[in-house]
Amino acid sequence: MEITVYADILFATNFLMDTVILYFMSILTRTSLKILKIAFASAILALYGTVSFFPQFEFLTSLPFLLLVSAISISPFGIKSGFFKRYIVFHIVSVVLGGVIFAMATHFNTPYIPSVAYDGKVYIESDISVICWGIALSYILIFAVKKICVRNFSRDKILVPFSMVLWGRKYKLTALIDTGCELTLPVTGEGVLLLSDRVIKNSPPPEPYLNLHISTASGTDTIPIYYPESIECRSKHYNLNKIPPVGIVNKPLSRDGLYNSIINPVILLNSTPNKSRKE
């Protein structure tokens, strides 16, 4: 069967698909969503997908060119930190989204039947409804798997959810239990809960209970210590032995955003959830 492929439609379809892939990648890797960056990267990928479809540019479909173009398209999102993570997630999402749409197209009646053109390159002749349903189903599958993985990570008793009231405001925390975190107050020996200042960025801090001076591999640092008004451990595995002091650090604690605080294990007890209040 002879097929007429229009370059403008091919480009628009690729641009839409690439935009969705990059959007999913940004969410999964917690990369800041910049519309211009996504549009620029999608245009590069769509142009590559359109040009490489034609037989005179068949050399562009080789694996080295594919990897190079995908790396170039992701580079606007940053190459210093998290590049390889975004690169891997980009290809995983591409496979999932492409596989879902291909499967849907092959299981629908005409005209949603895939046709082969130009030396084995697959062109799926489908309308926008198939693509939209494929995007929706891919979204459900990808984020369902992500949610399951995060829950399993929590069930391994590594991440602990908290609700905390500090300076009259309520915050939801996810704390990483770090056995290497041995930070305690010098006099009382109380374990410290470290909190990223990104959580409380809109709240001007009052005078701290004390300033704790520490030495790290990168040098010395000062951490202001506060006592929250109340704190509730919302884990079924742990309980608080008492209300812990909270240290504010001026940097994010997790690159992927899975947690926003780090807790000294001595603060926790293996028990049922309990609410602690400042006396």
Side-chain angles (χ1 to χ4, degrees):
M1 182 174 63
E2 192 173 306
I3 298 176
T4 301
V5 180
Y6 297 95
D8 55 345
I9 296 178
L10 186 60
F11 178 87
T13 303
N14 278 317
F15 184 86
L16 172 63
M17 297 289 290
D18 294 327
T19 299
V20 173
I21 292 171
L22 292 168
Y23 176 76
F24 286 175
M25 179 208 72
S26 299
I27 295 177
L28 290 171
T29 58
R30 296 186 179 271
T31 303
S32 60
L33 293 173
K34 301 292 186 181
I35 296 178
L36 290 179
K37 288 183 179 180
I38 291 179
F40 176 73
S42 298
I44 293 176
L45 292 168
L47 181 62
Y48 168 77
T50 302
V51 172
S52 63
F53 185 81
F54 297 98
Q56 56 266 39
F57 298 104
E58 185 180 0
F59 66 94
L60 294 175
T61 61
S62 62
L63 184 60
F65 272 103
L66 175 62
L67 297 178
L68 177 61
V69 172
S70 58
I72 293 174
S73 64
I74 296 173
S75 60
F77 295 90
I79 58 176
K80 291 184 178 180
S81 176
F83 174 80
F84 290 105
K85 180 180 178 179
R86 287 189 289 271
Y87 189 73
I88 293 172
V89 172
F90 170 82
H91 286 289
I92 292 174
V93 173
S94 301
V95 171
V96 173
L97 183 59
V100 168
I101 293 179
F102 182 82
M104 292 183 66
T106 56
H107 286 83
F108 276 97
N109 294 326
T110 307
Y112 309 121
I113 299 177
S115 302
V116 178
Y118 295 141
D119 298 327
K121 299 184 184 70
V122 178
Y123 177 76
I124 303 175
E125 189 179 20
S126 60
D127 65 10
I128 192 65
S129 63
V130 175
I131 296 176
C132 291
W133 279 109
I135 292 172
L137 182 57
S138 299
Y139 179 89
I140 294 172
L141 290 174
I142 291 171
F143 287 93
V145 171
K146 179 189 176 184
K147 191 170 184 180
I148 291 171
C149 291
V150 171
R151 283 182 176 178
N152 288 338
F153 194 39
S154 299
R155 286 174 186 154
D156 287 336
K157 305 180 183 179
I158 298 176
L159 298 178
V160 181
F162 288 93
S163 291
M164 180 184 69
V165 177
L166 181 66
W167 313 327
R169 294 192 178 186
K170 189 173 183 179
Y171 301 95
K172 290 184 179 180
L173 310 179
T174 302
L176 172 71
I177 301 177
D178 187 0
T179 55
C181 178
E182 300 179 351
L183 187 63
T184 58
L185 297 186
V187 178
T188 62
E190 297 174 275
V192 177
L193 172 67
L194 292 177
L195 176 65
S196 172
D197 64 349
R198 272 58 173 179
V199 179
I200 56 170
K201 57 184 179 180
N202 295 324
S203 300
E207 285 296 318
Y209 171 74
L210 64 86
N211 287 309
L212 189 61
H213 301 282
I214 62 172
S215 296
T216 63
S218 58
T220 59
D221 198 3
T222 301
I223 299 178
I225 301 295
Y226 302 89
Y227 276 96
E229 290 92 290
S230 68
I231 187 167
E232 180 183 1
C233 181
R234 302 172 60 191
S235 170
K236 63 181 180 181
H237 300 295
Y238 297 105
N239 182 17
L240 291 169
N241 54 20
K242 61 183 298 186
I243 191 167
V246 175
I248 310 297
V249 295
N250 58 351
K251 62 180 179 180
L253 297 175
S254 171
R255 288 185 177 180
D256 52 16
L258 282 179
Y259 56 91
N260 53 20
S261 53
I262 297 177
I263 192 167
N264 188 328
V266 300
I267 299 173
L268 299 172
L269 300 173
N270 289 317
S271 181
T272 55
N274 183 47
K275 190 172 183 179
S276 298
R277 292 189 177 274
K278 187 176 180 181
E279 298 295 338

